[in-house]
Amino acid sequence: MKRIILSILLLVFSIATFAQSTLKGKVVDAATGNPVTGASISFAGKTVTSSDNGSFSVDCSKSSIITVSHIGFETRKVAVSNCKDELTISLVPTANTLGEVEVTATSSQNKSILYQPSSIAKISTTELKRADGLFLDDAINTNIPGVSMNRRAVSSGQQINIRGYGNGSRGTRGVSSNFDGQGYKVYLNGIPVTDAEGITTLDDIDYGSIGNAEIVKGPAGTLYGLAIAGAVNLNTVKPQAGKTSIGQDVLVGNYGLRRYTTQFQMGSEKSSLLMNYGHQTSDGYTIHNKSHKDFINIAGSFQPSAKQSINVYGGYTNSYDERSGELTIDQYESKNFVGNLDYIKRNGHSQVYTARVGFGHNYNFNNWLSNYTTVYGAGFNSNASSAGGWTDKAATNLGLRSTFTTKFNLKNNVALNGLTGVETQRQNATTIGYGMGKDPRDTATNWYWGNPYYWVINAMTSNIYTTTSTTSLFTEWTLSLPQDLSITAGVGLSNMKLVLDDRFYVAGKPTHFDTSYKGMFSPHLAINKVFNKQFSAYVSYSKGYKAPVTSYMYIPYSATNSATGIINNHLKPETGNQFEIGTKGALLKNKLIYQLAFFDAIFSNKMTTIAVPNPSNSATLYTYVVNGGKQDDKGIEAAVKYTAYESEKGFFSNVSPFVNFTYSDYTYKNFVFQSTVKSVVTPTKDSAVNKDYSGHNVPGVPKYVFNIGVDVNTKVGLYANATWSYKDKQEISSLGTNTGETVGTKTTYTSNYTTYTTTAAMYHIGSYSLLNAKLGYRHSFGKVDLDMYVAGNNIANVKYPIMVFVNQFPDSFIAGPNTATVFGGVSLKYNLK
């Protein structure tokens, strides 16, 4: 009897013990929120796997750690303080496969890139964090074929060039083309960064808070309106579901680089919140090159019901970057970074204050119809000085973007899906220009770069008030047929109205100007075929527009030049037509991922600048913009990533090499440019010279670009990556290489008042290659996540430019640091749950 009672007691105790020591949870993909099947959950020497819906249960005791791993994801260690908790464990992908990466805006029901009949590139945290993560050009230039990004200073004047369209390769000079971006649209968490005129300023973007980026290459009018070159979607870091944390990141490097980031993240199944503050400074790598930035970002998402969700974003930026002067050819070749002293005399800089806020609401009416609407506003205030003087600008942008997604499942595995929407934006802006003159306290005979007295603001030279409104209607539909065949067709319609008032009143000169650009239709047609869910082939045609901006329309009156105060009302929008064929694939069980595209993009009515010289042909009085000819951009783009090794038990958990390649054959057709430069300077009253660029290569774009790299992750937490980048030679003049034309003289004063004169022939920049590498260690110590690393960019100390000013002589270059940029950092995150 005693044995029976004892056995019953032991059984009850065992059942009670088991009931109290069983931990339940679910494993999900941090990027998509989808369950992860087959994940290994290790605890106390035992291992179980997650089920089809990602769930698992393991024996548990208090204050223990479980290890969760899966091929294709970073291993996570999770501290368990209460066995009765139900955990949601988010795994971060180490290398997204092509079938898993989703795009944000598409009419296809299947949002995988494999099902998109166009070139779309995704940059994940893996690519963004290969370098310091503070400058987007590091990630774009080494990972996205056909796209390049440069910057005017340490962290300002950023411009993006997509398939040959972008500043620095348009064949124009002046008209703000050196300091802003045009032709592409940029969005941050669905909110346009690009203003109503189509100008994109990126000084105020905190790339350290970006979690992923998506780039659409080529005209995208059926989804984004006036986007002749493409679109860039930036998204802030998304908190992991089921995790609340407080983090502090510290990054330090040479050239005085400092970055401090404080971050709070909270994620659950139905809500998430990100609060981020970043403070960033740099002394720069040349004279007059300091940078200072403060960022605040708040992003949240909430799901009040099964039918609706809400997204909110708010951001504030205070950005200040000094501008050093452009280098002449001789200065660049001799590594003399003094540059054009006129910039330093005038305390060349760019200061930007921006407040941006947006509210998005998604509502699912039923299984076939949903709507997503975003309302947004941005206040932009800047002051900048350069060789030409001082400019103040204050602008307000308000807008709305609303899209309806429609899904119809027809018979016989046929589906019709559509995206129809409207995007409208209005900007009111005041731009005031000032001349600058010598500070009265400066008694030096010659100004040099160490002078303590910058020039000061003098009288106002211009006062322009503009109102710009842009509205785009668009629709795109995808017919999905059996055998994974689909046809996509759409059209966009964009209208823009420009209103300009010159408040610098002068009798007899026009003070008001307005014009409209209507009926800019952007069609798109494509066919896509997916084979065995592993690779696809597509053919596509798309058209886009780039309307003029207000500064192209009017030449403000100048008291020193009675010929100004001219209305320029004959400009036509630029037109882009792109034909593309390509293929994408995820082969060898998703280990080999590739994209390959062949394209021909023809840009017509290209806007170019005519320079009007003074009677002696010694200087340019003013410039104005006209429509030129065509630019024909033919190219090949290829990207391959291969998971060479993957293991859950070995020392190396993942080894993934990658390579990408770009071939660019960009030429002018029927293109004429006017200039004051002549081979033999013979002053005449009518000295503007026609330059026929037809058949010449587009400058500022290397013919060959090649990147190769590798990512390595280990089971113990060590990780490393390395990239080698090659850029072929590139021309800096639309007149071609080695024409033998003299570009004039330039006298520059150095710190010891010595002078030199430079004359050079128009030519190209030689090829160069850059080597970057990073070594780090990440590990979880209970509730504390640690990530520490050291890295170096341009390890071989190569001379290279970070920006090229084409057709601008004699000042043509902004050079990058010619010695290695070394940095290191520590990231600590405390997980509250």
Side-chain angles (χ1 to χ4, degrees), residues 410-443:
L410 308 178
K411 297 180 179 179
N412 302 321
N413 294 323
V414 177
L416 180 64
N417 306 287
L419 187 145
T420 303
V422 58
E423 183 176 314
T424 183
Q425 191 172 2
R426 178 187 174 93
Q427 175 179 258
N428 295 81
T430 298
T431 305
I432 301 175
Y434 300 91
M436 300 185 73
K438 189 175 182 180
D439 190 313
R441 295 171 295 177
D442 182 8
T443 59

Side-chain angles (χ1 to χ4, degrees), residues 46 147 383 522:
K46 298 181 180 179
V147 182
N383 64 83
S522 303

Side-chain angles (χ1 to χ4, degrees), residues 32-354:
T32 64
N34 296 328
V36 177
T37 303
S40 297
I41 300 95
S42 301
F43 171 79
K46 298 181 180 179
T47 300
V48 299
T49 57
S50 58
S51 63
D52 290 341
N53 63 358
S55 61
F56 68 89
S57 61
V58 295
D59 293 342
C60 175
S61 62
K62 294 182 178 180
S63 302
S64 298
I65 295 177
I66 63 174
T67 301
V68 184
S69 62
H70 191 280
I71 291 178
F73 295 88
E74 296 178 5
T75 299
R76 279 198 62 193
K77 292 186 177 181
V78 180
V80 180
S81 57
N82 189 345
C83 294
K84 295 182 180 180
D85 290 341
E86 282 203 18
L87 300 179
T88 299
I89 301 173
S90 301
L91 297 184
V92 177
T94 55
N96 288 322
T97 65
L98 204 61
E100 293 170 341
V101 177
E102 294 186 352
V103 296
T104 55
T106 176
S107 58
S108 175
Q109 185 174 3
N110 190 327
K111 293 187 177 183
S112 163
I113 288 183
L114 201 64
Y115 286 81
Q116 306 309 313
S118 59
S119 290
I120 302 176
K122 291 281 286 190
I123 302 176
S124 66
T125 304
T126 299
E127 290 80 23
L128 291 169
K129 298 300 183 182
R130 281 200 184 110
D132 50 38
L134 305 181
F135 310 108
L136 187 62
D137 55 304
D138 293 332
I140 287 181
N141 292 337
T142 57
N143 291 282
I144 309 300
V147 182
S148 63
M149 186 175 182
N150 52 34
R151 43 192 162 111
R152 176 63 176 78
V154 171
S155 190
S156 68
Q158 297 101 326
Q159 303 166 356
I160 298 175
N161 184 299
I162 303 177
R163 290 183 169 176
Y165 192 103
N167 301 88
S169 64
R170 293 188 299 154
T172 65
R173 54 181 297 190
V175 202
S176 299
S177 63
N178 291 336
F179 306 113
D180 55 51
Q182 298 181 35
Y184 52 88
K185 298 189 71 174
V186 176
Y187 296 80
L188 175 61
N189 285 10
I191 303 171
V193 175
T194 304
D195 67 20
E197 276 193 89
I199 296 175
T200 302
T201 301
L202 297 173
D203 291 24
D204 57 350
I205 302 299
D206 179 14
Y207 299 114
S209 68
I210 299 300
N212 66 79
E214 172 188 300
I215 299 178
V216 179
K217 294 184 275 187
T222 58
L223 294 175
Y224 300 104
L226 293 175
I228 190 172
V232 180
N233 287 293
L234 304 174
N235 295 285
T236 53
V237 174
K238 183 179 180 181
Q240 297 180 17
K243 189 173 182 179
T244 300
S245 64
I246 299 175
Q248 180 64 52
D249 298 350
V250 177
L251 183 150
V252 298
N254 59 347
Y255 303 114
L257 179 63
R258 301 289 186 273
R259 168 70 187 222
Y260 307 97
T261 304
T262 304
Q263 193 172 90
F264 172 78
Q265 297 186 46
M266 180 179 67
S268 67
E269 291 185 4
K270 294 185 177 181
S271 65
S272 68
L273 177 64
L274 168 71
M275 301 175 67
N276 185 94
Y277 168 70
H279 175 71
Q280 182 176 314
T281 62
S282 173
D283 294 335
Y285 45 83
T286 185
I287 61 174
H288 200 74
N289 197 218
K290 291 183 178 180
S291 174
H292 174 103
K293 292 178 181 287
D294 286 291
F295 303 103
I296 298 176
N297 291 284
I298 301 174
S301 63
F302 313 93
Q303 188 177 355
S305 69
K307 283 195 171 185
Q308 62 180 324
S309 61
I310 297 171
N311 295 299
V312 295
Y313 172 80
Y316 170 77
T317 300
N318 179 356
S319 167
Y320 186 92
D321 277 79
E322 293 180 340
R323 291 174 177 169
S324 58
E326 297 104 346
L327 308 182
T328 65
I329 295 172
D330 288 350
Q331 286 176 322
Y332 177 75
E333 291 297 331
S334 62
K335 299 183 181 180
N336 181 341
F337 283 1
V338 173
N340 185 345
L341 283 182
D342 284 334
Y343 276 89
I344 305 176
K345 288 179 184 179
R346 294 165 175 80
N347 190 22
H349 72 280
S350 171
Q351 185 165 26
V352 174
Y353 302 93
T354 303

